Amino acid sequence: MPLPSSMRLRSKIILLAVLPLVASLALLAVAVRQQERHLVEREHALVQRAYMDARRAELQNYVALAVSTVQPLYERKGSDAADRAQALKLLASLDYGPDGYFFVYDLDGTVLMHSRQPELVGRNLWEQRDAQGRPTIQQLIAQARQGGGFVDYAWRKPSSGQAAPKLGYVIALERWHWMVGTGLYLDGIQATMAQLDREASANIATTMLWIAGIAVFGVGLISATGLLLNFSEQRVAETKLRLLARQVVQSQEDERAHLARELHDGVSQTLVSTKLLVEAAAESASHSAAEATAGTLAKALGRLNASLGEVRRISHRLRPALLDNLGLPAALQHLGHEFDQAGGAQVGVRIEGPEALLRELPEVVKTVLFRVAQESLTNMAKHSRAAQVDLALCIDEEKGELRMSVTDNGCGFDTLAVHQNPSLGIGLRNMRERLDAIGGRLLISSAPGHGTQIQAFVPLAVLQKLAAA
């Protein structure tokens, strides 16, 4: 079934609202992600630079402290061997933290003092190279000969026993042919950078979640607005359809009333006049002893009476005058009496509730309930083979509704089969549509062999609304 043009247009409008929102948020998410990445990179660089500057200053201070400790021995004129031995002891006693220590090499690469790796003392490490093939000791000695400086290299960390990146600072004591230095391991800055990466990733993920949440909220808000519009328009359309249905029913009833008046005032009066003329002719014929003519006129009169009765019945069924003059209760009682007199089933009518309220029901409600009762009794007379039918009209103030029921003890029928077969139950659908048009509802209870009950409900609030309209 194709969508109405208004619905298609509304869907396009909602789509045009959703797409720019989603696209904007997607671009915003990309931009935020890029900006956060740039910020993280700049933060990395700043942190690393600040960290390295602080470590360099720290190493320079450590080496300056060590040199100042041995400076008196280095400058005095005494036994160089004894002064050097004492200086090595002083430097070996200086350490800081679990991995901070001093080392002393001669300028040829021989280890003179190493407080954390005493097994190296006396060994020449000139040719030692790291995992990248760089000559570690040669680089340190070359930097010391140039007046001192910093060297990046890898060395075993005492606390872990594993090789780790290290920043060393060395100076040369030329008179003693020494290189004195210390260093700080840099795996701490790597852990700090890794922590910054984790925090940045968490921040980015949180930002993306916020953006996704905003997108979902925006799309949900637009969708809810669209659904609200659909619901509102559907309510308006249902109201219009009910009003149109009531107008159609009213038009039908007006036409029925008009046709009933025409039959009563036109055709019926003509038949009555003809009947009087035929009666007069029959009486004259009987006086003149023209038996053949009298017999013919008697037959004509009988047929005329039958036609007049049929016209009156048609007129009454089209629009009973009782419904307009005395209200729904009187019309239902007369309807029940008609079906009772027709034979086939005893029809009982019960009216319960305030008489004035039941008599002064809104016109459309009286018409709908009368037609539902009429259709129900007609169907029962045709199909139910019932012996007893009960027609009841009452007001249930506790439930706040007007209820009419038609119940028989007939053969019943399969309601599901009738509902699924469009060629069956046309009268039942008409009754349901009539009630839907005024805001009522129809309930049908039946089963093969268990009789049938048809109930029509109209809320009292609907009666008040229709009466005020």
Side-chain angles (χ1 to χ4, degrees):
M1 179 179 178
L3 291 173
S5 58
S6 60
M7 187 175 296
R8 291 198 299 269
L9 178 60
R10 186 165 57 252
S11 300
K12 290 179 181 178
I13 292 174
I14 294 174
L15 188 62
L16 289 175
V18 169
L19 287 180
L21 174 63
V22 173
S24 300
L25 290 175
L27 292 175
L28 178 62
V30 173
V32 168
R33 187 176 182 85
Q34 292 297 327
Q35 288 296 320
E36 289 204 11
R37 282 298 178 191
H38 292 323
L39 287 174
V40 169
E41 291 175 1
R42 288 199 295 270
E43 186 178 10
H44 269 209
L46 289 173
V47 170
Q48 190 167 12
R49 184 164 57 248
Y51 181 88
M52 296 305 295
D53 289 344
R55 298 291 81 80
R56 289 188 180 96
E58 185 179 358
L59 288 175
Q60 285 180 317
N61 291 332
Y62 285 149
V63 172
L65 176 62
V67 170
S68 65
T69 301
V70 300
Q71 188 72 29
L73 296 174
Y74 183 73
E75 292 180 349
R76 76 178 183 175
K77 304 298 182 180
S79 173
D80 281 349
D83 291 340
R84 291 179 185 180
Q86 187 177 355
L88 291 175
K89 288 181 180 180
L90 289 174
L91 293 174
S93 65
L94 298 177
D95 61 6
Y96 46 94
D99 296 311
Y101 58 89
F102 291 92
F103 52 82
V104 180
Y105 289 72
D106 66 19
L107 296 181
D108 296 323
T110 301
V111 182
L112 301 178
M113 188 278 294
H114 200 297
S115 60
R116 299 302 172 88
Q117 291 179 276
E119 69 276 7
L120 298 179
V121 175
R123 291 178 57 185
N124 188 288
L125 304 180
W126 181 264
E127 297 296 334
Q128 179 170 306
R129 297 177 180 272
D130 61 13
Q132 285 76 35
R134 296 174 299 179
T136 304
I137 305 304
Q138 291 180 34
Q139 288 180 331
L140 290 170
I141 292 175
Q143 192 65 45
R145 285 183 179 278
Q146 293 175 7
F150 299 95
V151 178
D152 290 316
Y153 62 100
W155 199 267
R156 184 171 67 86
K157 190 175 183 179
S159 60
S160 65
Q162 303 295 324
K166 188 175 183 179
L167 175 65
Y169 181 73
V170 292
I171 64 169
L173 298 179
E174 293 289 350
R175 191 168 69 83
W176 284 354
H177 201 62
W178 281 8
M179 175 188 69
V180 179
T182 187
L184 292 173
Y185 291 94
L186 302 179
D187 50 352
I189 185 63
Q190 294 177 348
T192 301
M193 293 297 105
Q195 179 63 27
L196 287 176
D197 284 339
R198 287 192 294 270
E199 292 178 357
S201 298
N203 290 335
I204 292 174
T206 301
T207 304
M208 294 300 106
L209 286 176
W210 272 104
I211 293 175
I214 293 172
V216 171
F217 176 77
V219 172
L221 183 62
I222 294 173
S223 300
T225 303
L227 290 175
L228 185 61
L229 289 174
N230 285 340
F231 181 73
S232 177
E233 290 192 3
Q234 185 177 0
R235 292 289 298 274
V236 172
E238 287 180 355
T239 302
K240 291 181 178 179
L241 284 175
R242 286 183 176 178
L243 179 59
L244 180 61
R246 287 202 298 269
Q247 291 174 347
V248 169
V249 170
Q250 188 60 45
S251 298
Q252 291 175 343
E253 293 302 322
D254 291 344
E255 186 62 27
R256 285 170 179 262
H258 174 72
L259 184 56
R261 288 193 298 271
E262 290 294 324
L263 287 173
H264 180 270
D265 298 337
V267 178
S268 181
Q269 296 300 325
T270 301
L271 289 175
V272 169
S273 299
T274 305
K275 175 188 174 184
L276 293 175
L277 292 174
V278 171
E279 286 177 346
E283 185 176 354
S284 299
S286 63
H287 290 163
S288 61
E291 293 184 1
T293 303
T296 302
L297 289 175
K299 291 182 180 179
L301 183 59
R303 293 180 181 178
L304 190 59
N305 282 329
S307 298
L308 183 58
E310 183 65 22
V311 168
R312 286 175 177 171
R313 282 193 298 273
I314 293 173
S315 174
H316 178 73
R317 298 201 68 180
L318 282 172
R319 181 70 182 183
L322 286 174
L323 187 62
D324 296 323
N325 299 330
L326 299 180
L328 180 63
L332 291 179
Q333 288 175 339
H334 183 74
L335 180 66
H337 179 71
E338 280 187 342
F339 276 88
D340 185 69
Q341 291 298 314
Q346 292 183 351
V347 180
V349 180
R350 293 184 294 109
I351 307 297
E352 300 175 359
E355 183 179 349
L357 179 59
L358 291 173
R359 189 171 57 249
E360 300 299 329
L361 291 172
E363 189 69 28
V364 66
V365 176
K366 291 192 299 183
T367 301
V368 168
L369 291 180
F370 181 80
R371 293 306 178 193
V372 169
Q374 192 177 51
E375 182 70 27
S376 300
L377 290 173
T378 301
N379 286 341
M380 290 176 180
K382 289 181 179 179
H383 308 296
S384 71
R385 300 192 299 274
Q388 182 68 40
V389 179
D390 180 62
L391 171 60
L393 177 69
C394 67
I395 290 180
D396 190 338
E397 295 184 354
E398 291 184 1
K399 295 184 178 180
E401 60 188 10
L402 171 66
R403 182 175 68 252
M404 185 185 73
S405 64
V406 182
T407 308
D408 69 35
N409 61 352
C411 60
F413 64 94
D414 188 346
T415 56
L416 182 60
V418 171
H419 178 72
Q420 292 177 344
N421 192 336
S423 64
L424 300 176
I426 296 177
L428 298 178
R429 285 197 295 274
N430 289 339
M431 289 190 285
R432 183 173 285 108
E433 289 171 1
R434 284 178 180 270
L435 282 164
D436 287 342
I438 62 171
R441 59 190 177 93
L442 186 73
L443 179 62
I444 302 172
S445 303
S446 184
H450 293 84
T452 300
Q453 184 181 54
I454 296 176
Q455 298 182 88
F457 303 91
V458 181
L460 296 182
V462 171
L463 297 181
Q464 297 173 356
K465 184 178 179 181
L466 291 174

